[in-house]
Amino acid sequence: MVKVLILGGTGEARALAAALVERPDTEVVSSLAGRVRDPKLPVGDVRVGGFGGPEGLADWLAAERIDAVVDATHPFAQRISASAAQAATRSGVPLLMLRRPGWSARPGDDWHWVDDLPAAARLLPTVGERVFLTTGRQGLAEFADCPGWFLVRCVDAPEPPTPAQMRLLLDRGPYTVDGERALMTEHRIDVLVTKDSGGSLTVAKLDAARDLGLPVVIVRRPPTPDVEKVATVDAAVAWLDRSGRGLDQ
């Protein structure tokens, strides 16, 4: 029996768990950080909560006899990815990073790239006054002193500080272009702020912004550890097969 740890709460992590859990010679454990109150759970065994840093994760990998780790966390989950890389080195367990590609601009897009949320907050006064903010509930403090009005969409309610003029919308994808266009029109949005999360679940907001001729402020992805990377679930399964650890069907 081969034991695989999947780090993540992403759609790719759930799809990978579903692809592996039916294999009779494979045991899958998915780990969620526990930051979302009602997460979508993958099939198979699930653990929720942190490991106590790279040392704690390395100890857990050894204690649980993990044969391979796939980091399928969110592209902006920088801390856990760094911990996974350090823990894999300490424990000698093979590690793969599964990252969906980022978004690419299309004709008609008016994108403004920034390195982080503080840079996005500094840029906002020059591009718009009615902001559709879709960067998640963490980091809203960076926009607390920004002028203008904000429509903030996230899965769970944020804690203060938050923008002074704000309407909160609790929702999760997938979204439609028609729905996003109607939302932006209803609230007279003149600028969209997002992270380069990639994927299809939330790309509709970019299509809607293009249709409406709105500028988009996009936060670049943080750097990733120097580990092997793939962009699809199929490639991750192939990597596990090539590892020579009995994962072939």
Side-chain angles (χ1 to χ4, degrees), residues 73-77 99-105 111-117 134-135 193-199 202-203 205-206 216-222:
T73 55
H74 192 275
F76 285 81
R99 281 290 186 275
R100 58 182 176 254
W103 290 314
S104 297
W111 288 7
H112 303 258
W113 289 93
V114 294
D115 289 331
D116 51 31
L117 292 178
T134 64
T135 56
V193 181
T194 188
K195 295 177 177 178
D196 183 21
S197 299
T202 60
V203 72
K205 60 190 172 187
L206 298 175
V216 182
V217 178
I218 304 185
V219 181
R220 293 185 180 91
R221 295 182 175 189

Side-chain angles (χ1 to χ4, degrees), residues 62-80:
E64 296 295 323
R65 300 179 182 272
I66 298 297
D67 295 299
V69 179
V70 179
D71 173 10
T73 55
H74 192 275
F76 285 81
Q78 191 173 15
R79 182 177 299 177
I80 184 58

Side-chain angles (χ1 to χ4, degrees), residues 22 47 55 82 88 94 102 120 126 132 134 140 152 159 199 221 242:
E22 297 300 328
R47 72 175 302 278
E55 297 85 359
T126 70
F132 186 18
T134 64
L140 289 185
V152 175
E159 296 182 357
R221 295 182 175 189
R242 291 195 305 271

Side-chain angles (χ1 to χ4, degrees), residues 178-228:
D178 288 344
E180 297 289 68
R181 189 189 302 112
L183 186 67
M184 296 181 195
T185 301
E186 175 188 355
H187 294 285
R188 296 180 287 116
I189 297 299
D190 58 17
V191 59
L192 168 67
V193 181
T194 188
K195 295 177 177 178
D196 183 21
S197 299
S200 60
L201 290 181
T202 60
V203 72
K205 60 190 172 187
L206 298 175
D207 297 331
R210 183 189 312 112
D211 291 347
L212 295 170
L214 302 182
V216 182
V217 178
I218 304 185
V219 181
R220 293 185 180 91
R221 295 182 175 189
T224 58
D226 184 17
V227 301
E228 189 169 354

Side-chain angles (χ1 to χ4, degrees), residues 54 57-62 66 69 84-95:
L57 177 54
D59 291 343
W60 190 91
L61 295 176
I66 298 297
V69 179
Q86 295 175 45
T89 299
R90 288 172 179 266
S91 63
V93 176
L95 169 67

